[in-house]
Amino acid sequence: MKHKQMLIILSVAIVSFLGTVDMSIVNTALPQISKDLNVPMNQAEWISSAYLVLICMSLILFGKLGDQLSKAKIFQLGTLVFTISSLACGISTNLVILLIARCLQGLGASMTMATNLGIITESVPFSSRGKALGINTTIGQLGYIAGPAVAGIILSIASWNWIFLFNVPIGIAAFIFGEFVYSKPDKNKPNPKLNIDYLGFITLALAIGLFFIAIFTGQEIGFSNLGVIVAFIITAILIISFIRIELKVSEPILDLSLFKNPGFTISIISLMFMYIIIYFNNVLLPFYIQDNLKFSPSQTGFMMSVLPVVNVFTAYLGGVLCDKYGAVKMSFRASIIFVIAEIIFAVVQPTWPLAILLFGFMVFATANGLFQNNPMVMENASKEQQGVAGSVLALSRNIGFTVGLSLSTSLLYTGMSFKANRSITTYPFGHDDWFLFGMHFTYWIAALIMMAVTIMLIWLMHHRKNIK
């Protein structure tokens, strides 16, 4: 890759890191924020949830704007909005102001997430695209994983306000850097015509927002609650209405013809399934290591760090191999490795050597790095649809994380309750075998999910072979 292309990738990756780290960094600081602002914990949790909801509600709009106007312009505007709203979050003195600033921060992050992959695919030749997207994926995923560690370091030396304020100097530097590296639009070209399907966007945004609110509320009060059930029903009605709208308008906010391409559809489903099971680890493994194996929190954090460290190397390697063998073939191989990792977690016993668990971490991180979801999605979208394709990709990733949180806890509670022959909704202290049974049950389901991904990718490779 050329020097200019590497600078573009670096500029995008820095902002990608800030956007993803803010999804996980706040959770660690919520107890302190709740205490300092004198608000109950269930209200404070919306500081984290509001950010994710606003990102997902607006992704498709900003992807469309990036395709019609300029991806770099939308990305830079998003960097600016994210940085200013981070400052507003950091100086907030009450929950209302913090929530408003957090929503604005989500909008800024959404602008960057909707356009970052499109900028890279437009700037880098196809022969190097896997490597370029691999670098961005590595840094972005480090943001998800590093959030709690970054928060822990900041909270040990400063107040919670600095988990937001630390974004400001980095965001300013990234914006200035971007002004130099992104190509400037040709002034001789006429201004592009803006054509947005606002009715479709509003319908989809409401459906996404209501879906996430139903998920978050269901986790707190139970999914059998009538209000939560009604919310899911209304979400389904809104989605059906959105599809009907998109099929009628001449310029849809989301061109549904994208999903007629089996490569795009299977790539999106595979990506979502992968992120669902990634979140299983975030929920299950800390409990297993601390409460079942009896390690301290610091020892747990050290062991869990194996995942991001290995992933740094394997994600880049996956990008290099993707350029050589193709995204689908690499993702197929990675899906098999994923299954092996899930089976290790599904059978591991506390009496086994710790090295077996750490080996499982390494296998999982290797699979995560080699799975080429970004190139697999983006190569199945035309140049004119790169922004929208990137938005759908980011939306699927966030849906995967949210569903993964809900599904992993639900499966864990189901497994433990079956073993105990009564309802269990927390760690069963004094009955480590109940938790172990629930964890194994959950990971066997995860293995089945990844087997389904493997089968889909086998079909896709066979389909591509037949149409050549």
Side-chain angles (χ1 to χ4, degrees), residues 280 406-416 438 441-442 445-446 449:
F280 281 25
S406 177
L407 183 61
S408 59
T409 52
S410 298
L411 290 172
L412 176 65
Y413 297 157
T414 299
M416 291 193 300
F441 172 73
T442 305
I445 299 298
I449 290 173

Side-chain angles (χ1 to χ4, degrees), residues 309-351:
V309 169
V310 175
N311 195 68
V312 167
F313 297 101
T314 57
Y316 179 76
L317 175 63
V320 174
L321 295 175
C322 172
D323 291 332
K324 184 175 182 180
Y325 298 108
V328 177
K329 285 185 178 180
M330 283 307 305
S331 296
F332 162 69
R333 293 165 183 171
S335 70
I336 297 174
I337 302 174
F338 263 125
V339 173
I340 295 171
E342 302 310 306
I343 292 175
I344 292 173
F345 296 142
V347 299
V348 68
Q349 298 290 333
T351 56

Side-chain angles (χ1 to χ4, degrees), residues 281 285 341-348 357 360-361 364 439-440 443:
N281 287 352
L285 292 179
E342 302 310 306
I343 292 175
I344 292 173
F345 296 142
V347 299
V348 68
L357 180 64
F361 286 2
F364 187 92
M439 186 185 84
H440 286 171
Y443 273 120

Side-chain angles (χ1 to χ4, degrees), residues 272-288 304 307 338 341-343 345-346 361 364 399-412 435 438-450:
M272 188 160 54
F273 282 0
M274 185 192 75
Y275 278 103
I276 285 174
I277 69 162
I278 284 176
Y279 218 98
F280 281 25
N281 287 352
N282 294 8
V283 174
L284 299 173
L285 292 179
F287 281 108
Y288 176 66
M304 293 290 289
L307 291 163
F338 263 125
E342 302 310 306
I343 292 175
F345 296 142
F361 286 2
F364 187 92
I399 289 175
F401 275 130
T402 306
V403 173
L405 172 61
S406 177
L407 183 61
S408 59
T409 52
S410 298
L411 290 172
L412 176 65
F435 174 83
M439 186 185 84
H440 286 171
F441 172 73
T442 305
Y443 273 120
W444 277 118
I445 299 298
L448 291 175
I449 290 173
M450 285 314 299

Side-chain angles (χ1 to χ4, degrees), residues 41-101:
M41 194 64 182
N42 63 333
Q43 292 183 19
E45 286 174 354
W46 281 103
I47 299 169
S48 178
S49 302
Y51 178 75
L52 178 61
V53 171
L54 263 293
I55 286 175
C56 294
M57 288 179 68
S58 54
L59 273 169
I60 301 299
L61 173 64
F62 293 131
K64 189 71 173 180
L65 288 172
D67 285 335
Q68 293 190 359
L69 299 176
S70 164
K71 294 178 183 62
K73 277 188 176 181
I74 300 297
F75 185 88
Q76 284 291 81
L77 178 60
T79 303
L80 201 57
V81 171
F82 180 86
T83 304
I84 294 172
S85 54
S86 293
L87 176 62
C89 288
I91 62 176
S92 297
T93 55
N94 61 63
L95 181 62
V96 174
I97 295 175
L98 181 54
L99 282 175
I100 293 172

Side-chain angles (χ1 to χ4, degrees), residues 3 38 52 83 132 141-142 145 181 210 225 289 298 416 445:
H3 179 67
N38 195 28
L52 178 61
T83 304
Q141 287 185 349
L142 280 177
I145 300 168
V181 300
L210 192 57
N225 180 274
I289 297 172
S298 59
M416 291 193 300
I445 299 298

